[in-house]
Amino acid sequence: MVGQMATYSTSEFKGGLKILIDGDPYSIVENDIVKPGKGQAFNRVKIRNLKTGRVIDRTYKSGESVEAADVMDTDMQYLYNDGEFWHFMHPETFEQITADKAAIGEAEKWLKEQDICMVTLWNDAPISVTPPNFVELKVADTDPGLRGDTSSGGGKPATMETGAVVRVPLFIEIGEVLKIDTRIGEYVSRVKD
Amino acid sequence: MKKPDSGHSESWRPSASLDDLKARASLLADIRSFFSERGVLEVETPALSHAATTDPAIESFVTQHRGPASGKEPPLYLHTSPEFPMKRLLAAGSGSIYQICKVFRSEEYGRLHNPEFTLLEWYRTGYDYHEMMDELENLVSGLLEPYIQLGSSERRSYAEVFQVYAGINPHQADLQALKKCAEEHAVSIPVSMLEDGDTSSKDVWLDLLLTQIIGPRLGKDKLTFLYDYPASQASLAKIRQENENGGGEVAERFELYLKGVELANGFHELQDHNEQAKRFKAEVDRRISEGRPAIPQDEYLLEALEHGLPQCSGVAMGLDRLLMLATGHRSLREVIAFPFDRA
């Protein structure tokens, strides 16, 4: 569909708004109005490049317009990886999309088949993938826990079935299923069947 | 498809804590006792008026009264400051007065702006603007004492801070020099200001440098008064012929900064009604040239000035910002019970 170019005026700026700058899609992280008592108002914004994740500062004269970026966050089910691309499916329309390594980024190590992820689409193409906040993963490898160890402070590394390495308590064994917080990459609990 | 909202909406709740609301109540009580001890009279003036500020940088909320001639009534404006009617009281012989009121400014909403906010405004007859700064310093130091430790206050001219932090003379620099200065200091310049045919005035460039380079460095751990603004930014202040530093005109206007946040703006008040009428007209003309609605100027104010405004100084201070700094918060949301999005 070819429509008129959508724009946002600075008065519409707010956190989460998706705008297009120098050809890249950005999300507004923080919008500050800076206005000397009696003078020209400016919008000072922190914006995150949705492709690279880099956050930069920009200043606008209040009243200016900025082109809108056609960016949409969509929940999709992760299907499989074919060695080069990651395949996702919309759970209601069954429409499938493929994401490349650049779009998957850090999410790769948390992706388990069947899990619902948030896929960010720009002009209908995926540019980033956010795993669920909590995932349940099986321990693929870890050192055996030391019986009678009381210095429980440290824990030990465990490699999960997806390849992620997480610090877990000493009593965790290979084959157990753990709940992990993907936002901080930390162990939450054991999952009982 | 949107992510499902987890849990109930909590937006009916206040965004400020009860402790911060108590701090607000005691701030208001302390201000009233400060002025009561000094014999300054508390007054109230209309929030809804037939005239409004013509200041091109301030936008009023417009509404209408539904009377018998429904539809024919002229627009009414919510005040953006109580300045005009307070000056009418002064001209009528009130003596020194103060007011604490809600004011309304459209198009101002952000971390440090709420479209409806609480203003303290007061006028002192017989005071020049340095005496007014003295009183403001006394008031604010006292109000902040229970909360934060401040070093001794400082007063710096607009020219001095531009020289120190931007290395430029704001009164003499031209557009090219200001632009070069912004680039040298790695200021993020709005794209439109770099385009050919940009009509941004010198004041816009000065405002850019002030807000990006200078303002954030003012009042780190003390009250910093900035005074003697360019005459082109006089607003309602008297203009004085400067004899030092190669002459030129400056406006007898000041602002108070704390922790990089602008808290108050004051004037040695303009008394000349002809000059006031001229400034009104220039502002209305600028509005029209920018394709914005003309605003009815306050004829009552002009009549009051013609009758005679006593020599006086006035200052307006944002109380939400003061409370925010006192309580160590970063956003006005944390000190306003129901900010704009929850109002």
Side-chain angles (χ1 to χ4, degrees):
Chain A
M1 189 176 74
V2 179
Q4 206 169 4
M5 185 180 78
T7 61
Y8 295 117
S9 147
T10 54
S11 62
E12 297 173 273
F13 279 11
K14 60 177 181 185
L17 196 73
K18 309 293 194 295
I19 55 178
L20 196 66
I21 294 164
D22 302 333
D24 271 357
Y26 285 80
S27 175
I28 294 182
V29 179
E30 191 176 73
N31 170 41
D32 260 357
I33 295 187
V34 198
K35 187 175 187 299
K38 299 277 176 187
Q40 173 68 46
F42 300 98
N43 288 64
R44 197 160 53 195
V45 294
K46 276 193 193 313
I47 47 177
R48 193 179 64 245
N49 185 315
L50 292 172
K51 286 160 71 180
T52 66
R54 247 169 50 103
V55 174
I56 60 169
D57 292 314
R58 275 289 172 110
T59 304
Y60 294 90
K61 228 168 116 175
S62 295
E64 281 181 340
S65 292
V66 184
E67 202 175 331
D70 179 14
V71 171
M72 205 173 60
D73 292 333
T74 310
D75 283 341
M76 295 190 113
Q77 187 172 43
Y78 170 55
L79 298 178
Y80 64 97
N81 168 244
D82 65 13
E84 186 180 2
F85 293 105
W86 285 256
H87 296 254
F88 295 84
M89 181 183 72
H90 195 291
E92 281 155 24
T93 64
F94 306 114
E95 182 194 351
Q96 291 195 18
I97 59 138
T98 56
D100 62 11
K101 175 79 184 142
I104 294 292
E106 285 289 292
E108 177 183 1
K109 63 182 181 190
W110 303 117
L111 289 184
K112 198 177 90 177
E113 291 171 10
Q114 314 297 321
D115 275 358
I116 302 287
C117 302
M118 189 177 75
V119 179
T120 302
L121 302 171
W122 175 41
N123 297 332
D124 299 325
I127 49 167
S128 75
V129 173
T130 311
N133 289 345
F134 298 100
V135 290
E136 294 180 358
L137 301 175
K138 193 179 276 182
V139 178
D141 189 32
T142 188
D143 286 342
L146 297 172
R147 209 168 284 280
D149 189 312
T150 49
S151 62
S152 52
K156 59 179 181 178
T159 305
M160 314 307 292
E161 58 182 312
T162 54
V165 177
V166 178
R167 266 203 107 62
V168 301
L170 295 173
F171 55 77
I172 297 295
E173 294 171 8
I174 293 173
E176 284 190 279
V177 178
L178 309 183
K179 182 176 178 183
I180 312 288
D181 186 334
T182 61
R183 294 164 296 184
I184 47 177
E186 282 181 10
Y187 165 88
V188 179
S189 64
R190 279 200 277 204
V191 179
K192 303 243 161 64
D193 307 307
Chain B
M1 191 164 70
K2 280 238 156 185
K3 261 201 155 1
D5 211 349
S6 57
H8 289 285
S9 158
E10 292 282 295
S11 300
W12 64 270
R13 290 182 182 280
S15 60
S17 74
L18 188 56
D19 278 347
D20 291 317
L21 298 182
K22 285 177 180 167
R24 174 181 289 267
S26 74
L27 182 79
L28 294 175
D30 290 349
I31 291 169
R32 290 200 158 94
S33 77
F34 177 92
F35 286 114
S36 157
E37 279 165 22
R38 284 163 179 73
V40 180
L41 179 70
E42 178 165 15
V43 298
E44 290 189 351
T45 57
L48 201 55
S49 167
H50 290 95
T53 180
T54 51
D55 188 333
I58 298 178
E59 217 43 60
S60 303
F61 282 93
V62 192
T63 183
Q64 203 156 34
H65 175 68
R66 278 181 202 271
S70 194
K72 295 272 199 285
E73 289 84 356
L76 287 164
Y77 301 88
L78 284 170
H79 68 170
T80 59
S81 117
E83 176 152 15
F84 298 165
M86 286 183 84
K87 283 182 173 169
R88 287 162 62 193
L89 287 173
L90 290 160
S94 66
S96 296
I97 49 176
Y98 81 98
Q99 175 162 202
I100 296 171
C101 59
K102 283 293 190 71
V103 296
F104 306 85
R105 295 184 187 182
S106 189
E107 299 175 12
E108 296 186 15
Y109 181 39
R111 190 167 61 84
L112 295 176
H113 294 85
N114 198 61
E116 169 183 349
F117 64 100
T118 306
L119 200 66
L120 162 65
E121 183 149 329
W122 80 99
Y123 292 85
R124 280 294 213 162
T125 55
Y127 276 33
D128 67 20
Y129 68 133
H130 275 285
E131 292 168 304
M132 203 65 191
M133 284 187 248
D134 294 340
E135 185 158 68
L136 175 58
E137 183 180 332
N138 274 332
L139 172 66
V140 174
S141 308
L143 294 173
L144 290 177
E145 206 186 312
Y147 300 99
I148 40 180
Q149 287 261 271
L150 292 175
S152 35
S153 307
E154 60 176 7
R155 292 186 195 180
R156 310 173 74 176
S157 73
Y158 192 90
E160 185 210 326
V161 296
F162 269 77
Q163 203 67 63
V164 170
Y165 297 116
I168 200 164
N169 181 326
H171 301 299
Q172 284 163 4
D174 61 11
L175 281 176
Q176 278 310 315
L178 291 168
K179 192 169 169 177
K180 194 163 150 253
C181 176
E183 282 163 355
E184 281 169 3
H185 286 81
V187 166
S188 161
I189 302 171
V191 179
S192 69
M193 291 174 69
L194 295 172
E195 284 166 359
D196 288 343
D198 175 57
T199 56
S200 295
S201 64
K202 180 176 167 183
D203 285 322
V204 172
W205 282 97
L206 289 173
D207 285 342
L208 182 72
L209 296 176
L210 182 68
T211 53
Q212 304 276 314
I213 306 177
I214 300 162
R217 291 151 102 166
L218 298 179
K220 269 223 149 58
D221 45 16
K222 53 178 164 297
L223 302 178
T224 298
F225 291 88
L226 198 58
Y227 67 95
D228 282 356
Y229 277 64
S232 54
Q233 299 177 22
S235 193
L236 303 177
K238 270 188 206 288
I239 290 175
R240 183 182 79 235
Q241 191 62 42
E242 196 46 288
N243 295 318
E244 296 158 37
N245 306 322
E249 289 182 325
V250 293
E252 294 194 333
R253 175 184 156 196
F254 64 91
E255 288 195 343
L256 169 60
Y257 279 83
L258 176 60
K259 297 182 191 295
V261 175
E262 178 212 323
L263 278 180
N265 178 77
F267 301 135
H268 193 190
E269 301 291 348
L270 178 66
Q271 292 166 279
D272 180 341
H273 75 278
N274 288 320
E275 170 68 14
Q276 180 67 68
K278 232 194 294 178
R279 291 192 197 174
F280 273 160
K281 183 167 184 318
E283 290 185 338
V284 172
D285 287 350
R286 202 181 120 195
R287 280 183 163 274
I288 292 169
S289 77
E290 289 170 0
R292 296 151 73 200
I295 297 283
Q297 64 183 28
D298 196 326
E299 301 295 345
Y300 289 135
L301 174 70
L302 292 176
E303 286 169 32
L305 293 184
E306 191 170 2
H307 172 81
L309 179 73
Q311 194 263 111
C312 65
S313 288
V315 62
M317 177 159 64
L319 295 186
D320 308 285
R321 285 188 181 178
L322 181 65
L323 182 62
M324 179 192 83
L325 295 181
T327 52
H329 289 308
R330 207 178 152 260
S331 159
L332 293 186
R333 298 182 64 76
E334 293 164 288
V335 295
I336 295 176
F338 301 115
F340 190 54
D341 64 310
R342 296 190 181 190

